[in-house]
Amino acid sequence: MKIRLAAPLQPDSIVDGEGIRVVLWTQGCSHHCKGCHNQETWDFKGGYLVDLEEIKEELNSIQGQDGITLSGGDPLFQVDACLEIVKYCKKINLNVWCYTGYTFEQLLALNNPKIIEFLNYVDVLVDGKFILEQRSLDLKFKGSENQRVIDVQNSLKENKVILVEKYKDKKNYDFKKKTAVYL
Ligand code: SF4
């Protein structure tokens, strides 16, 4: 199986999640958020194809990482390939963060068994589109106030969004009221 990437694996990132992380930059995104920093990753025919076996070999050879972060682009558009990658990452003891333009609720509503299976291997999901008007440089690991740093395994267990306690901001986003609210 192959995956379409925007860039080579990027080890030693300290800004794409907790600890030292290798980042997988997937190619392809149809969310088209205004102000997106990675517009070159939107084209589903852009980037280049890589065999998953090559990615696994490379992951194996990169030392000193706490986890992997799937970003892009939106990894969820290539869920089959991403599922294989996160399964492998768990085998080699890398924790898994994933960025997506979908909200957690939207992902569940897609009713796609592959997405649910994928989420079962994800520790932390940073969800939601980037909203330029809600951009803040004070936020940890996210770009705009609507986005959430979600504890995926507890959220799946409790059937509601549970945020990672230490990355909760004073403000969070109420999706029903479409506004930031103070916790
Ligand atoms: S989801 Fe991410 S990559 Fe896609 S348009 Fe929005 S900010 Fe850009």
Side-chain angles (χ1 to χ4, degrees):
M1 193 187 297
K2 290 182 189 295
I3 185 165
R4 191 171 285 277
L5 294 185
L9 281 175
Q10 181 197 335
D12 300 325
S13 169
I14 53 166
V15 295
D16 299 287
E18 188 172 283
I20 299 171
R21 316 191 63 79
V22 55
V23 184
L24 180 89
W25 298 103
T26 62
Q27 177 74 28
C29 183
S30 63
H31 297 296
H32 293 189
C33 309
K34 188 170 74 171
C36 168
H37 287 294
N38 296 331
Q39 294 190 16
E40 63 287 354
T41 68
W42 288 3
D43 183 358
F44 286 93
K45 292 189 182 142
Y48 55 96
L49 287 169
V50 188
D51 198 284
L52 293 190
E53 292 312 310
E54 263 180 59
I55 304 233
K56 288 179 190 173
E57 270 174 38
E58 215 182 323
L59 284 170
N60 230 350
S61 69
I62 298 172
Q63 300 295 308
Q65 311 296 302
D66 297 306
I68 186 169
T69 297
L70 282 69
S71 189
D74 190 331
L76 271 301
F77 290 111
Q78 299 187 77
V79 69
D80 290 348
C82 287
L83 174 59
E84 290 310 307
I85 290 172
V86 294
K87 275 185 184 170
Y88 186 73
C89 286
K90 286 294 177 182
K91 267 195 206 153
I92 60 171
N93 288 325
L94 292 176
N95 65 52
V96 176
W97 282 47
C98 178
Y99 283 78
T100 177
Y102 291 103
T103 63
F104 185 76
E105 293 85 346
Q106 285 169 337
L107 286 177
L108 295 188
L110 288 173
N111 232 346
N112 176 339
K114 271 284 159 71
I115 289 181
I116 304 297
E117 194 181 350
F118 172 76
L119 289 175
N120 275 303
Y121 289 89
V122 176
D123 298 291
V124 173
L125 186 79
V126 185
D127 82 334
K129 289 176 73 163
F130 170 70
I131 299 180
L132 189 58
E133 293 74 17
Q134 293 175 26
R135 180 177 65 164
S136 167
L137 298 176
D138 298 334
L139 303 169
K140 189 90 174 157
F141 301 133
K142 52 188 196 163
S144 56
E145 281 173 346
N146 60 298
Q147 294 172 318
R148 303 171 297 183
V149 182
I150 296 174
D151 176 339
V152 178
Q153 295 317 303
N154 273 328
S155 300
L156 290 173
K157 218 184 290 166
E158 302 287 330
N159 207 19
K160 65 176 185 185
V161 169
I162 296 180
L163 302 178
V164 177
E165 195 61 39
K166 62 185 153 181
Y167 301 126
K168 260 186 183 175
D169 301 302
K170 276 194 211 124
K171 271 197 273 181
N172 234 301
Y173 197 76
D174 183 325
F175 275 92
K176 280 193 189 128
K177 293 183 186 151
K178 296 200 170 147
T179 180
V181 289
Y182 285 90
L183 293 174

